[in-house]
Amino acid sequence: MVYDDINKTMTTERLLLRLFTKADAETVTRLCNDYNIYKSTLTLPYPYTLDCALSWIEHHSENFNADKLYEFAICDRETGDLYGAIALSNQQRYDNGELSYWVGQPFWGKGYATEAAKAILDFAFDVRKYHKVYARHFASNPASGQVIQKIGMKKEGVLVDHVKKEDRYEDLIYYGIVRNKMKE
């Protein structure tokens, strides 16, 4: 991963991670207005409208500059096509943050989430000097768990029936990785 602090971008073998712009709102709306993404995410609304996308994108740059939350568009490095989003919160008090992501259904199974998540871990540990990064996923979304495991995170526990989604309770499975344990 190569991080460009001036442009706030990261490049990997196949991807460009960059800040969202208002010009991305229509594509974000198209990708997120998908029941299969909604049912696998904690806070994404459904149906997902253009207003949802615009209000979500509106504060990205401000949050990034305030070191609160880093939200990147996952894009094809060559074409610029938008595949999804990846974010890292910044709990400065604890030197840690949560990794979260979504990828549009047409791009599932191609390794984009894993590649972007590896870049975010490098960003967290090497650029932002975090001590720990954690992630969580619904038990009903094992594919997300596979991404988390592929980047070296270890399962830390399960919060049973922790959230309610569509009138049913979901277990949240938590994973984490500490900077000095990354190579283990």
Side-chain angles (χ1 to χ4, degrees):
M1 181 277 298
V2 176
Y3 177 64
D4 177 347
D5 193 39
I6 294 168
N7 294 309
K8 298 179 176 88
T9 61
M10 284 180 260
T11 52
T12 66
E13 183 180 334
R14 299 180 298 162
L15 302 175
L16 168 68
L17 306 183
R18 61 161 175 81
L19 296 183
F20 282 90
T21 68
K22 288 183 181 179
D24 296 316
E26 286 186 24
T27 304
V28 169
T29 302
R30 184 172 34 81
L31 293 174
C32 287
N33 195 33
D34 178 334
Y35 179 76
N36 288 316
I37 290 183
Y38 162 76
K39 73 178 186 178
S40 300
T41 57
L42 194 56
T43 59
L44 204 70
Y46 185 80
Y48 196 93
T49 65
L50 184 60
D51 284 343
C52 293
L54 288 168
S55 64
W56 177 63
I57 291 168
E58 182 180 7
H59 299 289
H60 285 190
S61 186
E62 176 185 321
N63 288 336
F64 191 105
N65 292 333
D67 287 326
K68 289 182 182 177
L69 180 62
Y70 311 107
E71 294 172 286
F72 294 95
I74 302 171
C75 302
D76 184 280
R77 185 172 169 174
E78 302 299 321
T79 66
D81 291 348
L82 178 62
Y83 297 151
I86 191 156
L88 180 69
S89 66
N90 187 5
Q91 306 298 324
Q92 294 178 18
R93 181 176 182 183
Y94 304 113
D95 296 328
N96 72 27
E98 180 179 8
L99 166 70
S100 56
Y101 51 86
W102 60 262
V103 171
Q105 192 168 348
F107 311 108
W108 288 0
K110 298 180 182 347
Y112 298 138
T114 302
E115 189 171 328
K118 284 178 184 172
I120 288 292
L121 277 186
D122 289 344
F123 174 76
F125 293 135
D126 299 338
V127 177
R128 297 295 179 199
K129 306 303 182 196
Y130 282 32
H131 175 69
K132 180 180 182 177
V133 175
Y134 62 95
R136 57 192 170 160
H137 70 90
F138 291 154
S140 62
N141 185 9
S144 190
Q146 290 174 340
V147 168
I148 294 166
Q149 291 169 36
K150 284 179 190 173
I151 64 169
M153 289 192 171
K154 302 294 182 220
K155 185 174 176 181
E156 294 184 343
V158 178
L159 299 182
V160 177
D161 284 354
H162 195 66
V163 295
K164 192 174 185 181
K165 183 86 175 193
E166 295 193 313
D167 296 323
R168 75 174 200 280
Y169 292 97
E170 284 271 5
D171 293 354
L172 282 182
I173 304 174
Y174 274 75
Y175 288 80
I177 189 166
V178 175
R179 179 183 357 189
N180 62 1
K181 309 251 187 216
M182 259 186 85
K183 306 299 180 219
E184 291 178 11

